[in-house]
Each structure stands twice: as C-alpha cells, then as structure tokens.
C-alpha cells in the first residue's frame, strides 16, 4: 500500500495582490467594533469637542480617541500603552482609528484630562440612545454597590483614631511639663491654664511651647531630663500638630485614607485573594441598572451603602431631569433618611430594612418574644404593655443626629418595679427598670416597606434585583478581570468607571 502524504492548504506569505483587501472587508458585519463606531457616531459629543481650545497645534480627533478608549474597555484593554500598540497592530483598532497612531501619552492625557468634564454626558447620551431602542428604562432601576480596590499603597495609611491618640498623648505630655513649670516658676510667669486646655491646634501647641520655653529654658532649677523633653516637643510638636490638622482636613467624615491616593478609603474587600477580608484602599462604586444595562453610576469614598443613596439619586436627576419612578435595593439602603428621601421625591421604593428577611420567619419572632416590636401599644394611654402586663409609660423625647447629619426623633418608654418581676433577666438585661426607644417615623416607613415588598409587584422586584444589578458587577469583575482601578484620585476613577459603564452597555447591546 502506497504511503499517503498529508495535504495542506496553500501558504504564500509574500503573494502580491492586485487588489489588496481593505480593513472593512477584514471585519465581520456583526463585529462589536462596528457597534462602537455606530453608537459614538450617532450620539451628541458636543461637550467633548468643547473641551478643546482653538489655539495650539493640531490634535488627534477626540472622536477617534474616544472610540479607541471605549473599544479598549470593551475588549479588556485598559492600559494606554497596550491601546497605543493595538492602534498599530490590531485590525479592529486600526480600522477604528483610521490608521492613526496616537502614542500612550496622548491616550492617557485624553482619558485623564479631556474626558474630565465630558465623559458623563457621553455616558448619558449612550443611555438615552439605548432607551430609545427600548432596551432599558430610565424610570425603573435596580441599585447596588461594590468595593473596587484603588491604585494605592495599602501600607501608606492614615487613621483618624491614630491621630486622636497621638494628639491626646501630646496634650498629656504638655500638661505634665506645664504642671512641673508651675511648681518651679512664680505664678506671674505662667497663664492660669495651658493653651491646650480647650482645644489642641497648631496655634495652641505653639503658644504652649513658647510659654514653656520662656519659663523653663533658662531656669537653673529645671533638671536635664525635663529640659530634654522640652527640647524634643519644641522641635517636633508644632510640626506634628500641623501635619495632623492637614490630615484631618483630608479625612473629613472618613476614618482612614491612603497617602498615595488620599481620596481612597480603607475598606474590607470580599474578593481579596488572601480570603481573609483584609482592609485595602478602595472606592465604593454605586450603580443603577435596567435589564443589566447601567443607567447611572457614582463613586464614593464612604464604605457604607446607606450614606450613598442621596447623592446617587441627585446624579440621576441631574442626568435625566427627573428621579426614577421605581427603585429597588437591598437592606443596605434601608435607613430612615433614605426612606424619607424616596418618599419626598415620590419614588416608589422596594427597599428592605435590616430585619426584613428575619421577620419573614415566624420562628424568629417566637425566638424573641420580649423584643420592643413585639410589645402591645395602648394608643389611648400612650404606653406599651410589658410581658407581665405592666404599663411602660412615656418618659420623654430624645433627638439624635446621624453621621450624615440627619436628625431622628425617638420616644422613650420606661417600666416600673422590674426588680421583683419573675421575668427579670429574660425580658431585658439592664439592672434598672426596662427602658425602650421607639422611632415612630422609622416604624411607619418600615411598615410601609413591609407591605409594599410583600405585594406581587414587590416580590417580583425583589426576585429580579438579584439577576439584574448583581450580574453586572460579576461580569465586570470576573469575566472582564477589572478588580483594581488604574488611575488615582476620585475624579479620574469616575472617568475610568464611566468608560467601563459605556463598555458594559455596548457589550450587552451586542449580545
């Protein structure tokens, strides 16, 4: 039997063509790059064009650079250097850029500077375009947040508690030397109290140091150890307290920040590769979705979802001139402030409160029969009835202010003669008579939310939330490998996430 040889298709690497193929012929009709090109061409990019000045040398066209960046984020190419290489070697990028070859500095400068005030309008135009196509709804949204690691060093941190501890130590040491100075000097030499008695500031620290030097520096009665301490605090304390003041201004309401990106706050990361939930500098990314399209996004330095909803809704209003008609979110947003805000804006909200799921379980309510929400309220007496039938009478109103500045009003009710009660110890753990606090406004909002969440529409929205907004984060993080921002600073991070949001919407449209 004759040996059979393998058959190969012809391979002529240097074959000349009379009519070379164009890039358009090399790209399939249903390729995603064509959709990027089409959408950017039809939307209004006037704000982006206005970011350029008339004077100066010629620039690469902003639409060219925008298309390259958006398609780069669609294809998981986030690095400006890799994008510059793709414009020289990758056929879809070469077609999209019209054979232009912007370098990585041009691409990076365009992303970080030119898009600063223009990308939000580009994102909004893409959302409106998709809404006109009937692919998403601006009025019915699902909201959630996730934490994404910042491009910051996790070992260069500043903590508010550490600053407060150090300031307290400084004040204590100053007070000790001040008291010593009082014992070796005449009464006329010193102020009646140290300048740090009321407030620790650069001015008060400097005043205390100057006064101590005035009294102790040339005093022969002062021992060498005290003079060494005085020399140390004279040299270091004014500079240190000025540094702490600057750090506290950066912190504002936060508890921490990274020195390499002061806008990033240390947050506990679920997806940490060490799987130990360690703290890392990160941003809290909030999105609202519709049919897995991103309708709105905001970036926050605060790790708590509860405090992000107000500004997130304001951004929705700024983008589309009205708040959404319906908003669905998990229990992380169920606060009195958020319920009041949604009610004020007339948004139909399907937002759980923190104990909603547990209260759905009958066994849970039976497990805690003495809880305040289980007690009977006597409306005519304005009193709650304890498990033993004793009347817990109204004793006053307390006003509280949350970390965001929202004021709450709490009514207090207290029992009498709990010492001899047979349920003492099971009903409550306090040594005194039982005292309960009732926030009537929050109770009203919870009752309204409970009723709405258990309607057919409420159950439908609760079920849909899990597979509308959460898969968007999973897709960006897991499928497209974006787990850490490349740019630093909140403003640039917003640009980067805006590009990711546009890319997500285009990928979803293509699918």
């Amino acid at each position: 039997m004759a040996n059979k040889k393998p058959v190969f298709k012809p391979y002529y690497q240097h074959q000349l063509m009379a009519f070379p193929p164009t890039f358009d012929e090399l790209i399939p009709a249903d390729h995603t790059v064509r959709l990027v090109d089409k959408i950017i061409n039809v939307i209004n990019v006037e704000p982006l064009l206005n970011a350029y000045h008339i004077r100066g040398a010629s620039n690469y066209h902003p639409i060219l650079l925008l298309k390259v960046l958006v398609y780069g984020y669609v294809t998981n190419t986030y690095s400006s250097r890799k994008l510059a290489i793709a414009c020289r070697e990758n056929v879809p990028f070469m077609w999209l850029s019209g054979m232009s070859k912007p370098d990585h500095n041009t691409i990076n400068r365009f992303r970080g500077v030119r898009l600063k005030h223009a990308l939000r309008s580009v994102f909004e135009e893409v959302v409106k375009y998709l809404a006109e196509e009937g692919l998403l709804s601006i009025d019915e949204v699902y909201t959630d947040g996730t934490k994404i690691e910042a491009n910051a060093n996790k070992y260069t941190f500043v903590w508010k508690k550490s600053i407060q501890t150090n300031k307290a130590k400084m004040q204590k040491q100053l007070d000790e030397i001040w008291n010593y100075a009082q014992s070796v000097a005449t009464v006329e030499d010193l102020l009646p109290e140290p300048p740090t008695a009321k407030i620790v500031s650069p001015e008060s620290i400097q005043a205390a140091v100057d006064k101590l030097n005035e009294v102790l520096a040339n005093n022969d009665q002062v021992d060498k150890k005290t003079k060494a301490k005085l020399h140390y605090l004279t040299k270091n304390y004014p500079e240190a307290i000025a540094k702490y003041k600057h750090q506290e201004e950066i912190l504002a309401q936060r508890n921490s920040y990274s020195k390499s990106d002061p806008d990033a706050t240390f947050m506990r990361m679920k997806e940490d590769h060490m799987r130990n939930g360690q703290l890392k500098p990160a941003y809290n990314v909030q999105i609202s979705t519709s049919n897995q399209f991103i309708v709105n996004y905001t970036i926050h330095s605060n790790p708590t979802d509860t405090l992000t909803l107000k500004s997130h809704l304001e951004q929705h209003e700024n983008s589309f001139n009205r708040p959404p008609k319906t908003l669905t979110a998990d229990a992380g947003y169920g606060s009195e402030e958020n319920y009041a805000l949604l009610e004020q804006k007339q948004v139909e909200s399907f937002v759980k409160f923190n104990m909603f799921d547990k209260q759905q379980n009958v066994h849970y309510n039976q497990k805690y029969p003495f809880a305040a929400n289980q007690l009977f309220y006597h409306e005519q007496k304005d009193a709650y009835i304890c498990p033993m039938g004793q009347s817990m009478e109204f004793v006053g109103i307390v006003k509280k202010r949350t970390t965001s500045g929202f004021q709450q009003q709490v009514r207090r009710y207290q029992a009498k003669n709990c010492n001899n009660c047979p349920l003492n110890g099971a009903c409550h753990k306090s040594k005194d008579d039982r005292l309960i606090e009732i926030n009537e406004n929050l109770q009203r909002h919870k009752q309204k939310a409970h009723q709405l969440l258990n309607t057919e529409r409420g159950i439908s929205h609760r079920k849909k939330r899990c597979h509308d907004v959460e898969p968007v984060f999973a897709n960006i993080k897991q499928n497209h490998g974006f787990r850490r921002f490349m740019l630093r600073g909140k403003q640039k991070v917003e640009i980067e996430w805006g590009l990711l949001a546009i890319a997500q919407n285009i990928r979803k449209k293509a699918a």
Side-chain angles (χ1 to χ4, degrees), residues 327-371:
L327 184 141
T328 307
D330 63 17
Y333 301 85
S335 68
E336 181 184 358
E337 181 179 4
N338 288 341
Y339 284 132
L341 176 69
L342 292 165
E343 186 176 70
Q344 177 193 343
K345 294 184 178 294
Q346 298 181 347
V347 178
E348 186 182 27
S349 59
F350 299 92
V351 181
K352 295 179 182 179
F353 46 91
N354 57 351
M355 300 296 288
F356 174 80
D357 289 325
K358 289 185 177 179
Q359 289 180 3
Q360 298 293 101
N361 188 341
V362 179
H363 299 292
Y364 177 82
N365 295 327
Q366 294 174 350
K367 189 177 179 180
Y368 300 96
F370 304 128

Side-chain angles (χ1 to χ4, degrees), residues 268-446:
R268 201 165 295 281
M269 309 295 291
K270 291 180 181 178
E271 300 91 357
D272 177 63
H273 66 282
M274 297 293 289
R275 299 192 181 278
N276 57 4
Q278 63 178 284
L279 293 169
K280 287 185 177 179
Y283 289 94
N284 187 353
V285 180
Q286 297 287 314
I287 62 170
S288 291
T289 65
S290 174
N291 294 329
Q292 295 184 2
F293 289 94
I294 299 177
V295 176
N296 181 30
Y297 68 89
T298 49
I299 307 294
H300 304 266
S301 298
N302 195 309
T304 310
D305 288 343
T306 313
L307 303 176
T308 62
L309 187 61
K310 183 178 180 181
S311 57
H312 190 71
L313 275 176
E314 287 173 355
Q315 181 59 62
H316 190 106
E317 286 186 272
N318 292 336
S319 297
F320 308 113
N321 299 319
R322 64 179 187 271
K325 293 180 180 177
T326 301
L327 184 141
T328 307
D330 63 17
Y333 301 85
S335 68
E336 181 184 358
E337 181 179 4
N338 288 341
Y339 284 132
L341 176 69
L342 292 165
E343 186 176 70
Q344 177 193 343
K345 294 184 178 294
Q346 298 181 347
V347 178
E348 186 182 27
S349 59
F350 299 92
V351 181
K352 295 179 182 179
F353 46 91
N354 57 351
M355 300 296 288
F356 174 80
D357 289 325
K358 289 185 177 179
Q359 289 180 3
Q360 298 293 101
N361 188 341
V362 179
H363 299 292
Y364 177 82
N365 295 327
Q366 294 174 350
K367 189 177 179 180
Y368 300 96
F370 304 128
N373 63 331
Q374 300 280 72
L375 301 180
F376 175 76
Y377 176 65
H378 197 295
E379 191 171 352
Q380 292 179 344
K381 292 182 179 180
D382 186 21
Y384 281 83
I385 309 302
C386 82
M388 287 300 294
Q390 183 186 172
S391 178
M392 302 179 67
E393 297 179 355
F394 171 71
V395 293
I397 294 176
V398 177
K399 291 185 178 179
K400 298 182 179 181
R401 192 172 292 276
T402 64
T403 53
S404 63
F406 181 77
Q407 186 167 305
Q408 297 176 316
Q409 185 169 290
V410 177
R411 295 175 66 86
R412 285 184 168 182
Y413 296 84
Q414 190 165 27
K416 296 178 181 178
N417 303 321
C418 286
N419 291 334
N420 300 322
C421 179
L423 292 177
N424 191 2
C427 179
H428 68 105
K429 304 297 181 183
S430 174
K431 294 180 180 179
D432 302 320
D433 293 332
R434 184 179 183 185
L435 179 71
I436 62 172
E437 294 185 341
I438 305 297
N439 186 331
E440 291 184 335
N441 189 44
L442 180 58
Q443 277 193 335
R444 179 182 66 82
H445 284 304
K446 284 183 176 181

Side-chain angles (χ1 to χ4, degrees), residues 117 250 297 385 492:
H117 303 296
I250 296 174
Y297 68 89
I385 309 302
K492 290 185 177 181

Side-chain angles (χ1 to χ4, degrees), residues 127 130-143 287-296 326 328 460-461 463-473 475 501 503-511:
V127 171
L130 297 172
E132 289 173 0
E133 297 237 327
L135 296 173
L136 60 85
S137 170
I138 294 171
D139 295 322
E140 188 174 293
V141 298
Y142 298 83
T143 300
I287 62 170
S288 291
T289 65
S290 174
N291 294 329
Q292 295 184 2
F293 289 94
I294 299 177
V295 176
N296 181 30
T326 301
T328 307
S460 174
H461 278 280
K463 289 180 178 180
K464 189 176 179 182
R465 188 197 69 81
C466 300
H467 55 79
D468 196 299
V469 61
E470 291 180 3
V472 174
F473 284 132
N475 185 44
Q504 165 66 20
N505 290 347
I506 290 176
R507 281 195 298 258
K508 183 66 179 174
K509 158 80 172 165

